[in-house]
Amino acid sequence: MPREMTVAAFRPDDERLADAVELIESLGATPVPDPMLAVEPTGARPRSDADFVVLTSKTGVELAAGLRSEDSAERWDPGDATVCAIGEPTADVLREAGYDVDVVPEEFSSSGLVDALEDDVDGARVEVARSDHGSAVLTDGLAAAGAYVHETILYRLVRPEGAGESAELAADGDLDAALFTSSLTVEHFLDAAEELGVREAAIEGLAAATVGVIGDPTRETAESLGIDVDVVPERADFEALACETIEDGAPTYTE
């Protein structure tokens, strides 16, 4: 008879992980919540003298707007800048925080935003406010389009202490699926596996599991590190990732 899949989710240990657990359970699988990212705010704010300002994540918006309880700096004011968001989730948080959103690319990615802005930014000042692990695709692409690009690091992404339950399960052959949401989650998974002494066994375990990733950059990182990727959803969000990965893997698991 079919058995319930074990599915690892690597989201930060906040409402995003709680939502991931709820979604995985609703899809008939057993979640393995294993946070691979933690946020360390820098206290910085986006510049207010730019022509365009780009926010790339919900976390970045929350920090810019002063919505996180641990952060007491002043709320960012975009002035007359054109405010750009990568992805509707980021745009939604901007709107909820009281900001107007002017540009959301059809493709929720760095390259998608470059495509959306490249005809408008020649000679313009573009502020990119994000984490310390942002893709160079965005900044290099905007610079190539003639923009004067400035990057502000709003927060650093680190691996939490104690991460690695999913790596041990994979090494033991007890993990059926893994949901990687960024290149950094892949790297931190393997770093945790290395510390536990199971890196190669964990990679072998993932080869027998169903691995889903968000976006081609994450796929490229995973494959370059020896992890076979099975699913890259067309829509770059966690719900699509979980649904497609679990659907892809579920028929192959029986007791």
Side-chain angles (χ1 to χ4, degrees):
M1 62 180 291
R3 70 177 177 85
E4 203 166 278
M5 294 177 66
T6 53
V7 181
F10 307 116
R11 311 213 77 185
D13 192 9
D14 54 25
E15 72 279 0
R16 285 168 289 186
L17 189 60
D19 290 346
V21 166
E22 183 177 351
L23 175 61
I24 292 167
E25 288 177 338
S26 75
L27 294 169
T30 299
V32 180
D34 194 7
M36 288 293 167
L37 298 175
V39 173
E40 288 187 350
T42 64
R45 284 291 182 277
R47 293 178 63 165
S48 297
D49 60 350
D51 300 305
F52 294 80
V53 179
V54 178
L55 279 300
T56 65
S57 69
K58 173 183 175 180
T59 299
V61 174
E62 290 174 343
L63 291 170
L67 298 179
R68 290 190 167 233
S69 59
E70 71 270 18
D71 187 62
S72 59
E74 287 186 16
R75 172 186 169 92
W76 164 64
D77 180 359
D80 296 326
T82 297
V83 177
C84 312
I86 294 183
E88 284 296 346
T90 304
D92 287 343
V93 178
L94 276 164
R95 296 184 187 106
E96 290 168 6
Y99 297 104
D100 292 330
V101 180
D102 302 297
V103 178
V104 183
E106 290 186 13
E107 179 186 333
F108 297 172
S109 67
S110 294
S111 58
L113 187 60
V114 171
D115 290 342
L117 295 180
E118 61 184 351
D119 293 334
D120 302 314
V121 296
D122 188 14
R125 292 170 296 176
V126 179
E127 167 76 341
V128 176
R130 58 184 184 176
S131 79
D132 62 331
H133 284 84
S135 169
V137 169
L138 178 58
T139 47
D140 290 353
L142 293 171
Y148 299 99
V149 181
H150 179 268
E151 183 178 19
T152 295
I153 303 302
L154 301 177
Y155 59 101
R156 298 182 181 89
L157 291 170
V158 299
R159 177 164 54 90
E161 290 186 16
E165 177 188 1
S166 58
E168 292 183 296
L169 288 172
D172 291 338
D174 293 329
L175 189 69
D176 298 322
L179 308 174
F180 292 104
T181 52
S182 67
S183 292
L184 199 55
T185 58
V186 176
E187 293 164 1
H188 283 181
F189 172 91
L190 292 177
D191 288 345
E194 183 75 34
E195 286 187 2
L196 293 165
V198 297
R199 180 185 175 108
E200 294 307 316
I203 291 174
E204 290 177 10
L206 288 181
T210 303
V211 175
V213 305
I214 287 183
D216 283 332
T218 308
R219 176 186 58 77
E220 291 167 5
T221 297
E223 291 178 346
S224 72
L225 294 171
I227 296 174
D228 294 331
V229 174
D230 302 291
V231 176
V232 185
E234 185 174 339
R235 194 173 83 245
D237 64 39
F238 187 81
E239 182 175 355
L241 175 67
C243 290
E244 293 186 27
T245 302
I246 291 172
E247 181 179 4
D248 186 81
T252 66
Y253 293 96
T254 58
E255 287 183 344

